[in-house]
Amino acid sequence: MPEEIIRTLSADGVRYSYRVLPYDRGDGAAPRTEPTLILGGALQGMFGWPQMDDHLGPAADVVTADLPGMGGADPLPPGPSADLLRRAVLGIADDLGAPRLNVFGFSYGTAIAFGFARHHPERVARLALGGVPVHIDAAQVACWERARRQLAAGDREGFAATAADALMCLDPERPVHRRELARRYVRRSFLHALTHSPHAADSLYRALADRPDFTGGLTGVPALVFAGEHDTVTSPARQREFAATIEGSRFLTIGESDHWVVLERAEEVASLVTGFFTGREPVAPTTGAVVLPRQAAAPAGRT
């Protein structure tokens, strides 16, 4: 397999990087689909997607990124960041020389991916979105405020535990595959980021304070939206309503998973997204999953 490539770019003087795992063209075969950019949560950097490398690598160039405010990139400047992040994604597409990208956004990354598709639909071949935080309720806000106070007081372990629990379904009556394993992983990831990234805390605050805009609808871009059936950050019902604002989209839920479906059902999600980007119809990957018909466009602004 070809060696990965890491390149550094800048947007408005803010440095950021992206990583490419090139498709192996040694036998002269062309990739089966366009380069695929993966955009994750607020603390998910360019090296956190091995399952996507494994599934997408045999089909396309796989691109991951430390966008501004994430991983080893420079921190975001004060003020709204959506426009800067969209331009950072555009910079990656241009630097790759790719007329169009497949774009997969998860959690916080869905806002960046959706915003990029709305502003530059001609540059997006297909769009996949998972765990879309369309609506954050008062209980979630209160939980994150408690986590913020813990971090401000220097209690990193308390913060990591509170923040991880806020993103997971802990109801024992609702089965979640690998729940405790995912819970421990998320806690360790938060602690690692806080220890090794000087602006990790700011990135988390920005992810909460910069309420993403999922309004306006989208046309002209084939799209797939999926949710864990027990997502407690934003319910699958609200995510389905969001999917209905994307003309021609497909929506499905994945059984026995919550907001961290990409951890709990990592192989299934990677297979699902790869199949969608390479032209296969989405198939329910786990027991309990629900696939809905293609969505008609809803009135603009509905969420």
Side-chain angles (χ1 to χ4, degrees), residues 43-231:
L43 296 183
Q44 287 181 291
M46 67 171 70
F47 299 108
W49 299 95
Q51 73 277 24
M52 302 305 295
D53 288 348
D54 292 344
H55 283 261
L56 276 165
D61 296 332
V62 183
V63 185
T64 57
D66 281 355
L67 292 180
M70 302 177 192
D74 288 346
L76 286 164
S81 60
D83 182 63
L84 173 63
L85 291 169
R86 286 194 300 268
R87 283 186 283 114
V89 172
L90 182 61
I92 292 173
D94 288 344
D95 196 61
L96 285 168
R100 298 196 304 169
L101 299 173
N102 293 316
V103 182
F104 170 37
F106 168 69
S107 191
Y108 176 77
T110 60
I112 304 169
F114 180 68
F116 180 74
R118 287 206 69 232
H119 285 78
H120 301 284
E122 75 286 354
R123 302 300 296 272
V124 180
R126 298 171 190 83
L127 178 69
L129 303 173
V132 187
V134 180
H135 173 77
I136 306 299
D137 64 20
Q140 277 277 320
V141 172
C143 187
W144 280 98
E145 177 58 26
R146 182 166 66 254
R148 188 196 65 78
R149 291 195 300 267
Q150 288 174 309
L151 187 57
D155 181 7
R156 290 186 173 185
E157 291 198 4
F159 166 83
T162 300
D165 289 355
L167 295 171
M168 308 195 78
C169 172
L170 302 179
D171 182 352
E173 298 299 315
R174 294 196 278 176
V176 173
H177 187 60
R178 298 176 179 171
R179 185 193 335 248
E180 286 306 314
L181 182 63
R183 190 180 186 187
R184 291 194 298 271
Y185 178 86
V186 173
R187 287 185 180 189
R188 288 197 304 270
S189 296
F190 282 157
L191 281 172
H192 182 271
L194 290 169
T195 301
H196 293 89
S197 175
H199 50 268
D202 178 67
S203 295
L204 284 169
Y205 296 154
R206 294 292 291 268
L208 293 170
D210 287 358
R211 292 303 174 90
D213 182 8
F214 291 105
T215 63
L218 178 64
T219 60
V221 177
L224 169 70
V225 181
F226 65 90
E229 69 168 334
H230 302 309
D231 194 330

